[in-house]
Amino acid sequence: MATCLITGATGFLGSHLVEACVARGYAVRALVRAGTDTTQLEKQGVTVVRGDVIDPEAVRQAVEDVQVVFHCAAKVGDWGPVENYRTVNVEGLRNLLEAVKGKTLLQRFVHFSSLGVYAARHHHGTDENEPLPDHHVDGYTQTKVEAEKLVLRYHKEHHVPVVVLRPGFIYGPRDRTVLPKLIENLKLGEVRYLAKGKNALNTIYVGNLVEAAFLAVEKPQAIGQVYNLTDGEVVSKKQFIDAVANGVGVPKPTRSVPLWVARVAAWVMERRARRRGDPQAPRLTQGRLKFLGLNLDFSIEKAKRELGYKPHWTFEKGMAETVAWYREHGV
């Protein structure tokens, strides 16, 4: 029985990976921060190692004798000092890579990155050959670029068998951050379409991403490669937001703001918030502008060709599963 380590196992993506790994017969180990509720992990027979990716000793203990690492843990968000993101997203990753370096048992190190690493502009079928910018609009995307460079360097210099997956916006049951906030704002009537919501959103249902993660483990040709991942459908912002609103029974937005107006507003709001030293992000940031306004269409042809990736869940099916979970749990 192969042993896998999952970081971020109590999070949205991590919890789905845990279930899938248990179902596939893996012996699952999870690196979990002190004080985190691990009841669900323990019910599934997961071995819990208490610690954090920023703690080298806990990391060394967690990776002992593992064949596969699924690295999901990350500091996410679009506000705050870049150093806070770098501590987890880069230095925490470095601890993991140092701990697995030279371990002959390790078969795969799957690193979950993001399509956010690409430049904050309109994208129309952008593929993995697109160079990444050195400087980004927020700490999360900045450090995800740095993390990719680091993990690929460890492959080149130390032969760590890494695969980098770049998912788009992940949706599905158990997301307790982005979609609940969207639903709350829809209820309050505070959501506005940008550019009439016509531009594409780079959606990926969590089940499709989990399947891609296993393909990354199974395919020898995946080692050292980077893959864009989405549902493989063009889904507009309006289509996504309307599907959420209809699914949970709240009013759909009725107003739209031109993209140029939103750009100015985001610039002003961020400037004021930084001047005040606000710990919380303003209502509109450059990161949210990208999510709600820019055309985010990325090619997944490389994943289809090299991994045999074929999204099982269509957007319609994935969204139906998602809103059913939110209705059941009263979000």
Side-chain angles (χ1 to χ4, degrees):
M1 180 189 296
T3 300
C4 70
L5 170 68
I6 301 175
T7 69
T10 58
F12 171 36
L13 171 59
S15 69
H16 284 273
L17 267 172
V18 167
E19 279 187 353
C21 286
V22 169
R24 286 172 177 249
Y26 280 91
V28 181
R29 192 178 299 163
L31 179 62
V32 181
R33 286 178 295 179
T36 303
D37 183 1
T38 56
T39 304
Q40 290 303 315
L41 294 178
E42 289 157 3
K43 283 181 180 178
Q44 296 176 85
V46 174
T47 300
V48 174
V49 178
R50 292 286 180 178
D52 197 300
V53 291
I54 64 173
D55 177 359
E57 184 52 44
V59 168
R60 280 193 291 271
Q61 181 184 347
V63 303
E64 193 64 35
D65 297 329
V66 300
Q67 284 80 45
V68 176
V69 174
F70 292 110
H71 181 43
C72 308
K75 178 174 173 58
V76 299
D78 60 355
W79 194 249
V82 66
E83 292 79 10
N84 294 351
Y85 290 90
R86 192 170 283 126
T87 297
V88 177
N89 297 347
V90 181
E91 297 311 315
L93 171 62
R94 193 189 308 276
N95 287 338
L96 279 164
L97 293 167
E98 278 294 314
V100 300
K101 184 175 70 176
K103 289 190 177 292
T104 56
L105 275 178
L106 185 71
Q107 298 170 7
R108 204 72 85 248
F109 187 108
V110 181
H111 173 68
F112 290 89
S113 184
S114 167
L115 286 175
V117 297
Y118 290 106
R121 61 168 178 80
H122 292 301
H123 291 272
H124 300 275
T126 297
D127 66 18
E128 296 86 350
N129 293 317
E130 171 92 1
L132 303 184
D134 290 325
H135 302 287
H136 261 287
V137 298
D138 57 62
Y140 172 71
T141 47
Q142 176 67 38
T143 56
K144 292 303 275 188
V145 171
E146 294 172 11
E148 280 200 17
K149 291 178 179 178
L150 181 66
V151 79
L152 291 171
R153 180 160 63 80
Y154 269 76
H155 167 66
K156 183 178 180 180
E157 296 178 3
H158 304 291
H159 309 292
V160 178
V162 306
V163 183
V164 177
L165 302 183
R166 290 177 182 163
F169 170 64
I170 309 168
Y171 67 100
R174 294 184 223 142
D175 168 18
R176 298 189 180 275
T177 52
V178 179
L179 279 190
K181 186 64 176 177
L182 174 61
I183 293 168
E184 178 186 344
N185 288 336
L186 284 167
K187 289 177 180 176
L188 296 172
E190 294 182 353
V191 178
R192 304 285 186 272
Y193 298 120
L194 301 187
K196 300 181 180 179
K198 64 183 179 181
N199 288 324
L201 182 61
N202 53 357
T203 55
I204 182 165
Y205 181 66
V206 67
N208 287 332
L209 180 52
V210 168
E211 289 189 352
F214 286 118
L215 290 172
V217 172
E218 295 161 4
K219 303 291 184 178
Q221 61 269 35
I223 295 175
Q225 297 298 314
V226 178
Y227 297 99
N228 293 345
L229 293 168
T230 69
D231 288 329
E233 300 176 53
V234 176
V235 176
S236 72
K237 322 279 190 184
K238 186 177 188 302
Q239 184 181 352
F240 184 88
I241 292 171
D242 287 359
V244 173
N246 290 335
V248 298
V250 298
K252 293 182 288 188
T254 57
R255 301 180 190 176
S256 178
V257 177
L259 192 55
W260 73 267
V261 173
R263 287 185 193 276
V264 173
W267 184 84
V268 171
M269 289 181 189
E270 286 194 339
R271 185 183 175 99
R272 288 176 178 171
R274 288 196 178 97
R275 192 163 54 235
R276 293 191 299 260
D278 291 352
Q280 300 298 323
R283 185 172 173 183
L284 187 60
T285 64
Q286 294 300 324
R288 293 172 196 180
L289 179 70
K290 179 167 63 174
F291 176 74
L292 290 169
L294 298 182
N295 195 77
L296 303 175
D297 175 39
F298 297 90
S299 171
I300 61 169
E301 289 308 308
K302 182 180 178 182
K304 288 181 174 179
R305 183 176 65 251
E306 296 185 9
L307 299 181
Y309 174 61
K310 185 178 180 181
H312 176 73
W313 280 271
T314 62
F315 172 71
E316 182 180 4
K317 182 179 177 183
M319 183 54 72
E321 294 277 348
T322 302
V323 296
W325 186 88
Y326 283 108
R327 285 197 303 267
E328 181 182 346
H329 290 81
V331 177

